Amino acid sequence: MRSLSNPSAYGAETGGTAGTDAVDIAQLSINTIRTLSMDGVEKADSGHPGTAMALAPVMYALWQNDLKYDPANPLWPGRDRFVLSVGHASMLLYSTIYLTGIRDVVKDKVLERPSLTLDDLKQFRQLNSKTPGHPEYRHTAGVETTTGPLGQGCGNSVGMAMAEKYLAAHYNRPGFDLFDYHTYVFCGDGDMMEGVSSEAASMAGHLGLGNLIWLYDSNQISIEGSTDLAFTENVAERFRAYKWHVVTVDDVNDLAAVSKALEEARAVKDRPSLIVMHTVIGYGAPKKAGTASAHGEPLGDEEIAGAKKAYHWPWTDPFHVPEGVLEHFREGIGARGAKASAEWQALFDAYAREYPKEAAELTAIFERRLPEGWDKDIPKWEADAKGVASRASSGKVINAVAKNLPWMMGGSADLSPSTKTNLTFEGAGSFQPPQWGGTYAGRNVHFGIREHAMGSICNGLALAGLRAYGSGFLIFSDYMKAPIRLSALMELPVIYIFTHDSIGVGEDGPTHQPIEQLAQLRATPGIMTIRPGDANEVSEAWRTLIPQTHKPAVLVLSRQNLPTLDRSKYACASGVAKGAYVLASCEGKPDVILMASGSEVSLVVDAYEKLTAEGIKARVVSFPSFDLFEEQDQAYRDSVLPPDVKGRVAVEQAAAFGWDRYTGIGGAIIAMNSFGASAPLKGLLTKFGFTPEKVYEAARKQAERK
């Protein structure tokens, strides 16, 4: 049985104080990662030291010897991607960022200063520090994606790997292999228990992503204790069933074995690889190694002293970086990465001379710019009382946009015939390996019934610069809460298209009729949620959301037809860009304002016309986006909703939550206060009060308020 705390039980440990030969400097560097991680958690009195202590040898072997990465150019497009899906082990990554000398990045510009200093490590988990509890994209250079919610990094990595395949298929040319990078992931038992990682792994295996390598930290410990409490399956066999290549490392302190496993994984081109790494959490700690107490709490002075003694670490001061360690990393990954990125840049410069059009497209991707004319084919819609479902009009618009935006790709969770998100123009194709009838150049992604993974994968695609979209029914956005929230946290312009947006789903009943989902999406910071009221608002919604570079968008669409309003009579739909706009109004001050989004806009228009015919001064406000409206200045908001007009009615086939901000306490809200029911639409509208008569009656009463 191997020791849990004695490093001399492992072949890679050398014993004694640090020497100058290659083996000793390697071990000294590994132990520096360990001790910085322990000290950071201890100083913060908060964090997770054990995984960093266990995985330090793997981190060293990958970054120092294998990772294609230039610390001086962390935005280099040809770099390998590293994902710490076990985000709780953030000090492992922060220590490595510091030791390897990764430069800082601000607003997509690489600066001369380092991303992290030793003082930053000392500020772990403190207010306004650059070393938050879990790694955050855009916050700390060297962090490729925000992780912490377990499994999300695994899902992101599949999107990153798909992006490499797509970019290679579209832009590589003979003699110009611009895109040939790998995505490496550190994941753990917690990731393996989360369903999203299973969904993502299944899809990666189907797609044959040979550029994806997960390194699985099998330490068999979770917060409650041994994983025997809840997780006893054979993970390796599960992944073989997913069509992954699997290799095992029995002792991660054996650097030669780790390097051999990485080499074997990279040699497999037709499937992703899982490296099962047997580790000891809290490695070196005399009492806590191999126990749950090493996972999510500081070790304490006694255990830290014992671990450092086990590492033959003679220094007593915390955050000590021995002489020669920084230089060792500069001479390793620093020199190797600089050479590789310079060679890539020279290759790209030659590519640009031979393929200027493709190079210009790539530059736009790297700089997150839109191509000229991306919106030139967005349709305008003639007035039509019968109208068209907003999912159908959106289907036409997305095709009009995507054919002029070559790096836009996405799909649905097995629902594209319903969500109308399939790209049908010539050359769109399906993103599939050849054995499944497609190519990696395809732009239609078949996510299967994997909503959670779809959201995480879209985040990964967006992290690589592609304009990704995913679609499904609004009710199933519940399965995607975590990745949608992370899109907002990372400021990624992912597009989420949700159809079947209300009780208008009809006969499918309350299991499929969303009620609270709109309120949840609107409550999430940093998301642009748009529910357009007719086909022209759909066109303007797309015109508004595509230019976003730092914000995800949620487009909420109907199953049923919506009348296309006569824009020669009613206001131009370009008001969508401001979130809410006056669609129709009386002269002067109105007595009542009617507000609605989506399918209910035509309902309040009908009530407005009846009120106007009776001489009641009324106004209609189309309200597709709370978020965009709140971004407008106070003067604009007051011009749409004059503060001195007390009579107000809001109508929406969803939860009333949030509308009182605009109706005021005394205003009327016609909304859903229960779950729906299974019935044809007409009966549902009557049952729940979404009729012209009900809206008219409420407006009449509100018009009397002064």
Side-chain angles (χ1 to χ4, degrees), residues 305-329:
K308 289 182 177 180
K309 181 179 180 181
Y311 302 153
H312 306 289
W313 187 263
W315 300 280
T316 58
D317 53 317
F319 298 98
H320 186 87
V321 179
E323 183 179 351
V325 170
L326 291 173
E327 292 78 9
H328 178 59
F329 280 108

Side-chain angles (χ1 to χ4, degrees), residues 555-636:
L555 192 57
V556 180
L557 305 169
S558 72
R559 176 194 185 191
Q560 72 274 27
N561 283 3
L562 309 182
T564 305
L565 299 175
D566 183 351
R567 295 292 169 167
S568 66
K569 180 179 180 181
Y570 301 106
C572 176
S574 60
V576 167
K578 293 189 173 182
Y581 65 103
V582 177
L583 186 62
S585 187
C586 63
E587 291 291 331
K589 177 183 173 181
D591 293 323
V592 63
I593 302 173
L594 299 103
M595 298 170 263
S597 76
S599 53
E600 292 72 71
V601 171
S602 60
L603 186 59
V604 297
V605 167
D606 289 344
Y608 162 82
E609 295 293 353
K610 186 174 182 180
L611 292 165
T612 301
E614 294 181 0
I616 297 175
K617 300 179 74 174
R619 170 177 290 188
V620 174
V621 173
S622 178
F623 223 125
S625 176
F626 286 15
D627 317 287
L628 288 171
F629 186 65
E630 290 300 319
E631 291 177 2
Q632 309 310 309
D633 61 33
Q634 190 65 50
Y636 176 79

Side-chain angles (χ1 to χ4, degrees), residues 41 114 157 210 216 289 361 375 433 446 449 460 484 499 611 635:
V41 172
S157 73
Y216 164 40
E361 287 185 3
D375 59 348
H446 302 280
I449 307 169
I484 292 173
T499 67
L611 292 165

Side-chain angles (χ1 to χ4, degrees), residues 440-656:
Y440 291 128
R443 297 171 63 184
N444 287 296
V445 180
H446 302 280
F447 289 101
I449 307 169
R450 304 183 182 101
E451 287 91 352
H452 198 168
M454 176 172 68
S456 299
I457 290 168
C458 283
N459 283 341
L461 291 167
L463 285 161
L466 302 182
R467 290 308 303 268
Y469 67 88
S471 68
F473 292 172
L474 180 57
I475 192 69
F476 300 134
S477 66
D478 288 352
Y479 287 136
M480 302 174 64
K481 177 69 171 83
I484 292 173
R485 186 176 190 274
L486 285 167
S487 296
L489 189 59
M490 289 191 278
E491 301 179 343
L492 298 177
V494 175
I495 303 165
Y496 296 98
I497 304 165
F498 293 127
T499 67
H500 295 60
D501 67 345
S502 69
I503 59 171
V505 172
E507 292 86 346
D508 279 344
T511 60
H512 283 52
Q513 293 166 350
I515 303 296
E516 72 279 14
Q517 283 70 25
L518 261 178
Q520 175 178 282
L521 290 164
R522 288 168 174 162
T524 305
I527 294 177
M528 178 193 299
T529 302
I530 308 178
R531 187 177 183 238
D534 76 346
N536 283 303
E537 285 199 358
V538 169
S539 289
E540 293 304 318
W542 277 100
R543 200 184 304 275
T544 300
L545 66 86
I546 285 291
Q548 299 298 320
T549 59
H550 287 73
K551 180 179 289 189
V554 175
L555 192 57
V556 180
L557 305 169
S558 72
R559 176 194 185 191
Q560 72 274 27
N561 283 3
L562 309 182
T564 305
L565 299 175
D566 183 351
R567 295 292 169 167
S568 66
K569 180 179 180 181
Y570 301 106
C572 176
S574 60
V576 167
K578 293 189 173 182
Y581 65 103
V582 177
L583 186 62
S585 187
C586 63
E587 291 291 331
K589 177 183 173 181
D591 293 323
V592 63
I593 302 173
L594 299 103
M595 298 170 263
S597 76
S599 53
E600 292 72 71
V601 171
S602 60
L603 186 59
V604 297
V605 167
D606 289 344
Y608 162 82
E609 295 293 353
K610 186 174 182 180
L611 292 165
T612 301
E614 294 181 0
I616 297 175
K617 300 179 74 174
R619 170 177 290 188
V620 174
V621 173
S622 178
F623 223 125
S625 176
F626 286 15
D627 317 287
L628 288 171
F629 186 65
E630 290 300 319
E631 291 177 2
Q632 309 310 309
D633 61 33
Q634 190 65 50
Y636 176 79
R637 285 182 281 160
D638 287 349
S639 73
V640 174
L641 301 175
D644 59 346
V645 178
K646 305 301 181 185
R648 302 186 181 197
V649 180
V651 186
E652 189 170 65
Q653 292 178 27

Side-chain angles (χ1 to χ4, degrees), residues 79-83 137 143-146 153-167 181-185 209 211-212 456-464 466 490:
R79 70 189 182 279
D80 287 340
R81 269 61 171 180
F82 174 78
V83 176
Y137 175 69
V143 173
E144 298 279 9
T145 183
T146 298
C154 294
N156 297 163
S157 73
V158 174
M160 294 174 177
M162 290 170 61
E164 188 277 333
K165 290 289 189 184
Y166 179 83
L167 291 167
Y181 61 79
H182 283 78
T183 298
Y184 297 91
V185 183
L209 300 178
N211 55 351
L212 179 63
S456 299
I457 290 168
C458 283
N459 283 341
L461 291 167
L463 285 161
L466 302 182
M490 289 191 278

Side-chain angles (χ1 to χ4, degrees), residues 16-97:
T17 57
T20 57
D21 59 74
V23 175
D24 281 349
I25 192 63
Q27 193 58 54
L28 186 63
S29 300
I30 291 167
N31 289 338
T32 303
I33 295 173
R34 285 170 167 152
T35 56
L36 288 175
S37 299
M38 291 189 298
D39 291 340
V41 172
E42 196 67 26
K43 185 175 186 298
D45 195 26
S46 173
H48 302 72
T51 299
M53 296 161 71
L55 289 180
V58 188
M59 196 72 164
Y60 171 84
L62 175 62
W63 281 70
Q64 179 71 344
N65 300 325
D66 291 308
L67 197 70
K68 188 168 63 175
Y69 190 93
D70 180 7
N73 186 11
L75 299 182
W76 164 35
R79 70 189 182 279
D80 287 340
R81 269 61 171 180
F82 174 78
V83 176
L84 187 73
S85 195
V86 284
H88 54 273
S90 53
M91 274 301 301
L92 174 68
L93 181 54
Y94 297 150
S95 299
T96 304
I97 288 172

Side-chain angles (χ1 to χ4, degrees), residues 361-381:
E361 287 185 3
L362 284 171
T363 301
I365 293 173
F366 304 154
E367 297 178 355
R368 301 184 187 276
R369 290 186 287 104
L370 291 171
E372 291 292 330
W374 68 269
D375 59 348
K376 65 182 180 180
D377 296 319
I378 292 179
K380 294 184 178 180
W381 306 79

